[in-house]
Amino acid sequence: MTDFTPEQDSDDDLYEHYTFTAEKGQQPLRIDKYLMNFIENATRNKIQAAAKNGSIYVNDVPVKSNYKVKPFDVIRVLFEHPPYENLLTPENISLNIVYEDDDLLVVNKEAGMVVHPGHGNYSGTLINALIYHFDNLPNNSSNRPGLVHRIDKDTSGLLVIAKNEETMTHLSKQFFDKTSEREYVAIVWGNLEEDQGTIEGNIGRHPKNRLQNTVFYGDDEDKGKPAVTHYKVLERLGYVTLVSCKLETGRTHQIRVHMKHIGHTLFNDERYGGEKILKGTTFAKYKQFVENCFNVLPRQALHAKTLGFTHPKTGKFMRFDSEIPQDMQQCIEKWRHYVKHQEM
């Protein structure tokens, strides 16, 4: 399996941003095309420019963008500056804070806001805002100030932020021990057979597209980490379904991966193929209707609606609930109207 590690070690005044080891079965592929599958938000032009500047090394030798990647090649991307995600800049960005005390705060994140800086998103993130508004936030195990957990850029909803080390440790343990409560609301493609169920499947990086995760099972099970999602149908809307998902574990893209795994990809989830019409008719009128829904909701249909945890100081269990955001509500209403006026 391809190995991927963001790094920050210097080598002759250069900083390593990424390192990859091509897998055993790697077919010859231009390095610019190869890297597009592994570095989020990277364009072919940017990769070609990096190669032209001598920033892409294979087996410690600089290569051009037309180099063909072979099995076991060690690919490194080096620049003269440290990775931007390690250069945190405070930014005066307003936050929707739904609760705050001396130990923690709960934020309702808008869709489109990245939680922490990373490749292609070095400013405008939740962390940039947090370090502007709050001093001396504790770092988590990934050196990210205040973050106990995260949600994807285009997922909206609730996050808890720790203000001190004790709170960070206590809350992180609750998430690890599965004693926290997290409920999401999603629109998924298709009509689920069961009213409720549980999806279990180890989740890990997709071996051929590192921007995706996938479910591993059978002999490959150990390539992923255990993940459990409980779902319940809230409303059947013909070719899509409104569902509630409660997380027992917190893997990256967990709901998006698990729902795709059972054949119900999230509506308009571009990364996992949900931006295509996966269910429905072939009529042009229906296609136009779905396109209108995509325009109303230009992201994956996922909202972190409910968050519950035990307060580290008081010992009291706290539960927070948030409204489904306007874009999702509009999409749901469109499907309700469609179902009412169609024979499904």
Side-chain angles (χ1 to χ4, degrees):
M1 193 168 82
T2 306
D3 179 47
F4 164 77
T5 319
E7 299 284 357
Q8 53 181 349
D9 300 327
S10 61
D11 180 9
D12 296 327
D13 296 324
L14 293 176
Y15 293 85
E16 185 170 279
H17 285 231
Y18 298 97
T19 178
F20 308 90
T21 301
E23 60 187 16
K24 180 180 179 180
Q26 176 65 47
Q27 296 295 313
L29 181 67
R30 282 178 58 115
I31 197 163
D32 51 0
K33 289 186 176 180
Y34 178 90
L35 289 175
M36 280 183 68
N37 291 328
F38 292 88
I39 302 179
E40 188 169 3
N41 298 321
T43 65
R44 197 165 177 185
N45 285 342
K46 286 181 180 177
I47 293 169
Q48 288 174 346
K52 188 175 181 180
N53 292 334
S55 296
I56 299 176
Y57 288 69
V58 176
N59 305 324
D60 294 325
V61 177
V63 298
K64 295 181 179 179
S65 56
N66 62 356
Y67 174 84
K68 297 287 182 67
V69 178
K70 300 185 292 293
F72 307 115
D73 274 351
V74 177
I75 301 156
R76 302 168 73 207
V77 183
L78 307 173
F79 292 109
E80 292 179 352
H81 58 82
Y84 288 117
E85 54 263 42
N86 298 319
L87 304 174
L88 297 176
T89 305
E91 295 180 42
N92 186 7
I93 302 166
S94 62
L95 293 170
N96 183 1
I97 298 172
V98 299
Y99 175 83
E100 182 183 358
D101 61 27
D102 291 340
D103 301 296
L104 56 87
L105 63 143
V106 176
V107 175
N108 191 6
K109 185 188 82 68
E110 293 182 359
M113 176 183 260
V114 177
V115 171
H116 58 76
H119 185 86
N121 297 290
Y122 304 122
S123 64
T125 75
L126 178 63
I127 282 187
N128 293 115
L130 288 171
I131 62 176
Y132 177 89
H133 294 289
F134 303 98
D135 295 326
N136 304 315
L137 290 175
N139 283 338
N140 65 12
S141 58
S142 301
N143 292 318
R144 288 165 178 158
L147 281 195
V148 179
H149 60 128
R150 60 177 292 274
I151 57 179
D152 298 327
K153 172 187 174 183
D154 289 325
T155 299
S156 53
L158 298 174
L159 287 160
V160 60
I161 308 298
K163 284 187 171 182
N164 52 58
E165 294 285 355
E166 183 182 349
T167 301
M168 175 68 76
T169 301
H170 198 290
L171 289 173
S172 297
K173 189 172 189 305
Q174 289 185 54
F175 278 75
F176 181 79
D177 291 342
K178 307 172 188 173
T179 58
S180 61
E181 181 182 311
R182 284 169 291 170
E183 180 192 11
Y184 291 69
V185 173
I187 305 169
V188 301
W189 278 108
N191 189 15
L192 281 79
E193 289 185 17
E194 305 292 335
D195 286 338
Q196 58 186 23
T198 297
I199 309 166
E200 296 185 62
N202 288 14
I203 290 177
R205 288 284 184 189
H206 196 292
K208 293 186 178 176
N209 185 346
R210 302 293 281 185
L211 302 182
Q212 289 187 7
N213 281 354
T214 190
V215 172
F216 290 97
Y217 44 90
D219 293 340
D220 291 331
E221 193 174 65
D222 59 354
K223 293 180 180 177
K225 294 181 179 179
V228 181
T229 304
H230 305 284
Y231 70 85
K232 181 179 180 181
V233 171
L234 298 177
E235 189 172 355
R236 298 183 185 276
L237 296 166
Y239 298 123
V240 300
T241 305
L242 184 66
V243 296
S244 159
C245 295
K246 289 191 175 181
L247 295 185
E248 197 171 300
T249 53
R251 307 301 174 204
T252 301
H253 300 172
Q254 179 170 319
I255 293 171
R256 301 164 71 183
V257 172
H258 267 173
M259 295 311 294
K260 179 175 182 176
H261 179 63
I262 65 168
H264 296 282
T265 305
L266 264 63
F267 187 77
N268 210 11
D269 187 350
E270 184 176 358
R271 183 165 296 187
Y272 290 94
E275 86 287 8
K276 300 179 180 68
I277 298 177
L278 300 181
K279 300 289 180 181
T281 73
T282 57
F283 299 139
K285 197 171 181 181
Y286 172 74
K287 182 182 178 184
Q288 184 59 56
F289 164 75
V290 175
E291 291 294 336
N292 289 340
C293 289
F294 287 159
N295 290 333
V296 164
L297 182 66
R299 63 178 180 103
Q300 70 258 12
L302 186 62
H303 175 66
K305 190 175 190 302
T306 305
L307 178 64
F309 53 84
T310 300
H311 194 286
K313 287 283 175 65
T314 67
K316 177 184 174 184
F317 190 82
M318 307 180 76
R319 181 181 288 106
F320 299 91
D321 189 67
S322 60
E323 293 289 329
I324 296 175
Q326 192 64 30
D327 57 357
M328 273 187 71
Q329 286 281 17
Q330 285 183 272
C331 186
I332 292 166
E333 287 301 326
K334 278 185 170 294
W335 277 102
R336 283 175 180 156
H337 186 266
Y338 181 85
V339 170
K340 188 183 292 186
H341 293 84
Q342 300 291 323
E343 286 187 20
M344 304 303 298

